[in-house]
Amino acid sequence: MTFGDGDGAVPPTATAPRQHRALLLAFNHKPHDRVVALAERLLDEGARLDVVVLSDTNWAELAERPGVRLFTLGAAEKRHPLLRAERLVVTSGPRKVAGGIGRIAGGAANGLRRRQERLSRAFHKRVFMKAYANVRPMVLSKLATKRLSELDLDRDPVDLIVASDALSITLGWRLARRYPQVVATTSLDPPPLAEITSRA
């Protein structure tokens, strides 16, 4: 039913104010207390909050709150060609060779298998992971960029992007370039969303 003022005019329809939306990039394995506090603050301000994480393991409590969506990258990172190649060359390949020798030589090869596992772990920690740390932010950024369609930032823009740790800064920078109208920051104490949107 429509109501006019007698001359056929229909009053303008009141539209609900747009709900704020924020994107939090948090790649540390265990979120820092200040990152969780920021996420809770944004939710308390009434925002819809998307959080891009490596694993949702330590986000269970926050994930239960309405308005939160978690996007995980950990499984995609494990499937990345660099990590798959390292596992093949350093872990699974040598393990198969040692296992084959063990079947031929019997119990005498147990020491060889243990040494191979120790060497593989040491190489992974001391050599590979140190080298991988230099390119990891770029790898994670590319993996996240492939999933941007799930975030739907073109149709439903965000008001704020926060890169909360060193690993997420590359992705934050890429998103800031792609969406220059959005406030992007590394600060864990950004202005209130109402203030950000009033400047736009």
Side-chain angles (χ1 to χ4, degrees):
M1 182 183 291
T2 58
F3 297 91
D5 59 1
D7 63 355
V10 178
T13 310
T15 56
R18 178 184 165 275
Q19 187 180 11
H20 297 306
R21 185 179 180 205
L23 177 62
L24 178 59
L25 313 174
F27 292 167
N28 282 345
H29 179 66
K30 189 171 186 332
H32 191 279
D33 291 344
R34 287 187 64 206
V35 176
V36 175
L38 171 60
E40 290 174 341
R41 192 201 95 185
L42 293 168
L43 290 169
D44 290 342
E45 288 179 26
R48 290 176 295 137
L49 180 63
D50 293 322
V51 189
V52 183
V53 297
L54 294 185
S55 167
D56 57 7
T57 306
N58 294 306
W59 290 89
E61 196 172 314
L62 189 74
E64 292 172 3
R65 290 194 56 174
V68 176
R69 292 190 306 171
L70 292 180
F71 293 84
T72 60
L73 298 178
E77 184 185 21
K78 285 179 184 172
R79 292 192 301 269
H80 191 274
L82 265 177
L83 278 86
R84 289 173 68 184
E86 191 253 353
R87 282 196 300 272
L88 179 64
V89 171
V90 176
T91 310
S92 58
R95 185 183 298 137
K96 285 180 183 174
V97 171
I101 293 171
R103 282 192 293 277
I104 295 167
N110 285 341
L112 173 66
R113 206 169 17 246
R114 281 194 297 270
R115 278 196 297 277
Q116 173 268 313
E117 287 173 4
R118 270 200 311 273
L119 283 170
S120 292
R121 279 195 302 270
F123 181 87
H124 176 76
K125 284 176 71 173
R126 297 176 191 166
V127 180
F128 178 78
M129 287 309 290
K130 285 186 178 178
Y132 179 57
N134 295 314
V135 296
R136 193 177 187 201
M138 204 171 357
V139 168
L140 293 172
S141 175
K142 286 183 178 178
L143 291 172
T145 302
K146 287 179 183 174
R147 294 192 61 185
L148 279 183
S149 59
E150 294 173 54
L151 291 169
D152 203 14
L153 300 181
D154 293 312
R155 192 183 62 80
D156 184 15
V158 294
D159 303 296
L160 175 68
I161 298 169
V162 180
S164 69
D165 49 56
L167 278 176
S168 65
I169 288 174
T170 301
L171 175 58
W173 175 79
R174 277 191 173 187
L175 291 173
R177 288 193 63 186
R178 185 165 175 174
Y179 302 101
Q181 74 284 4
V182 177
V183 174
T185 183
T186 57
S187 170
L188 296 180
D189 189 24
L193 286 167
E195 185 181 320
I196 289 171
T197 52
S198 69
R199 296 178 196 161

